[in-house]
Amino acid sequence: MTPTETPNPSQLPRISVLISGNGSNLQALIDGCAAGRIPARIVQVISNRADAHGLTRARQAGITTAFIDHRLFADRAAFDAALANKIQEASPDFVTLAGFMRILTPALVQQFLGKLINIHPSLLPKYPGLNTHARALEAADTRHGATVHFVTPTVDAGPAIVQGILNIQPGETLDHLKSRVHALEHRIYPQALAWLVTGAVRYADGQTTWQDPALTRNRPQIIREDAPLALND
Ligand code: GRF
């Protein structure tokens, strides 16, 4: 396709997004698709919470939404089976977790392995789990950020695609740090999805693999808060 050709929306890779809350990362993905920076189409947004603001964002963008209440299921496996069915209804090429606050079962992860990515608010492997910003401040870290990674059965441990890195400011408050990391997330997640849908990056043999042989296998790309993209910095 030449740059002047407008892609037929029905031929674009199909994206499903799973959320639980505000959906600011979802919005960044919606905006990236609308602007053509991500050559893909979000075809479905699923939330496990009815009051997730991200559902409103999706509806405003004309995207099909679904709500599946995890509290109505006997266990995690039953919820994930219903979730997998709902995802399959949309036949997505890729599934993105954007603040989806449920741990996925290995069965669901295996079903979408290599097609499933997540954004996590720390420089993994540092600080998997919750309260990442507070933990970075408590540890007096000088650097912090966010990671987009392929999802594997171990929580927050899949191979990284890209990391957004910032320097923690002296005396920085939790809220300030959190908002800076969020802003970085809104840069790195659309970029990661664009790489994924164009085949620039893929999951192979448990690793992140780059199409460009000049890029080091199994190393994430780096985006710094105050600088443009630097490949394999
Ligand atoms: C983000 O900080 C993301 O890294 C984490 O959950 C948060 C979601 O925020 N996984 P939002 O709902 O996208 O605003």
Side-chain angles (χ1 to χ4, degrees), residues 8-16 33 38-44 63 93 197:
N8 179 345
S10 68
Q11 290 174 350
L12 288 171
R14 300 167 66 82
I15 309 299
S16 181
C33 289
I38 309 170
R41 185 160 69 110
I42 300 174
V43 292
Q44 174 190 57
I63 299 167
D93 296 291
V197 299

Side-chain angles (χ1 to χ4, degrees), residues 21-25 99 119-121 182 185:
N22 180 26
S24 69
N25 280 287
I119 186 157
H120 181 79
H182 248 111
E185 291 183 5

Side-chain angles (χ1 to χ4, degrees), residues 12 26 47 53 80 83 103 141 147 150 169 206 213:
L12 288 171
L26 164 67
S47 174
H53 179 57
D80 273 14
L83 183 59
I103 292 173
D141 287 353
T147 304
F150 287 105
Q169 296 164 354

Side-chain angles (χ1 to χ4, degrees), residues 110-133:
Q110 285 298 342
Q111 198 175 337
F112 296 99
L113 193 67
K115 298 176 166 188
L116 181 59
I117 61 172
N118 179 45
I119 186 157
H120 181 79
S122 79
L123 297 176
L124 291 171
K126 266 195 162 184
Y127 312 129
L130 301 175
N131 304 318
T132 56
H133 311 302

